[in-house]
Amino acid sequence: MSGGDPRVIAPGSTIGILGAGQLGRMTATAAAALGYRCHVYAPDEDMPAAHVSATATRARYDDLAALERFARAVDVVTFEFENVPFESVRLLAEHVPVRPGWEALRVSQDRVVEKDFVRGLGIGTADYSAVAGPAELARALDEFGGGGVLKSTRLGYDGKGQVRVGPGMDADEAWRRMGAEAGILEAFVDFDCEVSVIVARGPTGETAAYVPVLNRHRNHILDETVAPAPLPEATAADAETIARRIAEALGLIGLLAVEMFVTRDGRVLVNEIAPRPHNSGHWTIDACVTSQFEQFVRAVCGLPLGSPARLCDAVMTNLIGDDVAGWHDLLRDPAAKLHLYGKAEVRAGRKMGHVTRLRLPRPQ
Ligand code: AMP
């Protein structure tokens, strides 16, 4: 079925996924539609991806014995969660192809490494300074005119480990609030909007990108994605080129999401990257020829990439915490496609599902 290309993991094979949240769940569903089985691996008690996967292992990401058993049971390993230790990735790679490989994970695990990498490609970011303690932070704040955004270098997402520093907050207080051992101070970007591009890259170097989308956040969590982003053509082209260049420079096999700021003078600055499916790509399930999850499976398995073409414009809204209680009304809306993640417990700030509203052409 693979035509003899050793890079191809043919349908019928088992895809191992580290992480078992909603991204893994939607990946496993797309994989099943192409005839694959999935084996998910995560330490969590609640594993939404396990409900739709052939096999699930509950173990820590640094449990080398469990990882080895997992690696022997699958044909390829990928991730819905990038913060996996190097030793674990190395062990997995001894047994099975790991896609994306360590380079993409290494770069995206640390905000300083990530920004250095992006700048090294000649791509713009906010000004930044790595800070190892409150004294260094105080010096960096002086350089940045007294303000900025302090972030933990590692394990930050949805605004966790992030502090907006301005007048009235000193370095000690900001450092304490950030609550991590190493930080990065970024200059505050007075952006016009936030956009992201998701690009897939296969083992032959073939790439396919989705249109840039506009992202609006609420309490630091993605609230709404508008597809496509209402950008001038040249800005949209810049955003797409940036995403492709980063994917190529990482030698990525899989999916890369690149979050960017568009400044008021039209510059595109990279905020962060994630080497996996992304919340801002959920709209593609209902509004594109190939969803980001199917594309992820295709790229990781070395299949031809699918068309990322848009069937219609769409707006995706996350259902966070109690928002999910509105599921019944959402099902009554003919233009709304509801996706629920099957999470056992509703908690404030927790992503419980999403709804994509399609901008359908007028009914005939
Ligand atoms: P992040 O965790 O880096 O994705 O940041 C979460 C959100 O905080 C971003 O989507 C922005 O809305 C905001 N933010 C992060 N960094 C900056 C910055 N340097 N300047 C302005 N806003 C920022």
Side-chain angles (χ1 to χ4, degrees):
M1 247 168 139
S2 66
D5 184 338
R7 293 171 299 190
V8 174
I9 314 290
S13 307
T14 300
I15 302 172
I17 304 174
L18 266 73
Q22 64 269 18
L23 300 177
R25 178 182 173 97
M26 291 183 273
T27 302
T29 307
L34 286 176
Y36 292 92
R37 288 160 184 270
C38 286
H39 180 160
V40 293
Y41 181 113
D44 315 305
E45 192 179 332
D46 190 14
M47 293 204 236
H51 311 167
V52 297
S53 295
T55 316
T57 295
R58 185 174 173 206
R60 289 165 49 110
Y61 294 123
D62 59 359
D63 180 339
L64 298 183
L67 283 167
E68 183 158 350
R69 281 194 298 277
F70 170 71
R72 289 184 190 282
V74 302
D75 298 297
V76 64
V77 167
T78 191
F79 307 85
E80 63 128 52
F81 171 81
E82 60 270 32
N83 291 304
V84 176
F86 169 71
E87 265 313 301
S88 305
V89 176
R90 193 188 55 76
L91 174 77
L92 293 168
E94 277 176 18
H95 298 281
V96 72
V98 175
R99 299 174 174 173
W102 175 245
E103 182 63 0
L105 298 174
R106 181 186 74 86
V107 170
S108 56
Q109 282 181 359
D110 183 302
R111 290 185 192 271
V112 175
V113 176
E114 178 179 85
K115 286 213 165 45
D116 287 347
F117 184 87
V118 169
R119 284 277 184 106
L121 299 174
I123 297 169
T125 68
D127 287 336
Y128 63 99
S129 178
V131 286
E136 274 187 34
L137 174 60
R139 278 196 292 279
L141 279 168
D142 276 347
E143 260 174 55
F144 284 24
V149 184
L150 175 67
K151 303 177 181 179
S152 60
T153 53
R154 302 177 77 87
L155 287 173
Y157 66 95
D158 289 347
K160 294 194 173 73
Q162 219 176 100
V163 186
R164 172 97 190 262
V165 195
M169 194 191 296
D170 67 13
D172 288 318
E173 165 75 1
W175 190 263
R176 198 183 50 70
R177 284 205 203 174
M178 186 227 357
E181 279 168 19
I184 179 172
L185 181 71
E186 296 179 14
F188 186 77
V189 179
D190 181 25
F191 53 77
D192 182 43
C193 63
E194 294 186 75
V195 301
S196 57
V197 170
I198 294 172
V199 60
R201 186 171 181 277
T204 60
E206 178 192 10
T207 60
Y210 293 94
V211 285
V213 295
L214 177 84
N215 297 318
R216 294 198 186 99
H217 295 82
R218 193 168 26 127
N219 302 327
H220 291 285
I221 303 176
L222 182 66
D223 177 31
E224 192 173 80
T225 292
V226 177
L231 293 176
E233 232 171 86
T235 313
D238 279 355
E240 192 183 314
T241 304
I242 285 171
R244 281 187 204 273
R245 285 189 52 213
I246 297 173
E248 267 154 27
L250 289 171
L252 180 104
I253 303 178
L255 222 54
L256 183 76
V258 182
E259 292 183 59
M260 295 167 263
F261 300 124
V262 179
T263 63
R264 296 189 191 277
D265 56 357
R267 285 174 305 136
V268 180
L269 305 178
V270 170
N271 177 30
E272 65 177 350
I273 66 173
R276 52 164 170 77
H278 193 258
N279 196 169
S280 68
H282 291 357
W283 67 280
T284 62
I285 300 174
D286 300 303
C288 288
V289 176
T290 310
S291 76
Q292 67 161 345
F293 299 101
E294 178 180 340
Q295 198 75 303
F296 182 45
V297 170
R298 288 182 183 232
V300 162
C301 294
L303 309 184
L305 297 181
S307 165
R310 194 167 79 253
L311 301 169
C312 64
D313 293 355
V315 176
M316 188 284 313
T317 308
N318 270 334
L319 301 176
I320 295 173
D322 287 335
D323 295 348
V324 72
W327 62 268
H328 192 266
D329 288 342
L330 292 168
L331 286 171
R332 287 193 184 284
D333 179 346
K337 295 288 289 183
L338 177 67
H339 299 260
L340 298 177
Y341 304 152
K343 293 188 180 176
E345 195 190 333
V346 181
R347 283 202 297 266
R350 194 171 201 210
K351 292 173 181 168
M352 303 302 298
H354 71 267
V355 59
T356 301
R357 293 192 174 79
L358 303 172
R359 298 278 153 86
L360 294 168
R362 281 171 169 285
Q364 300 297 308

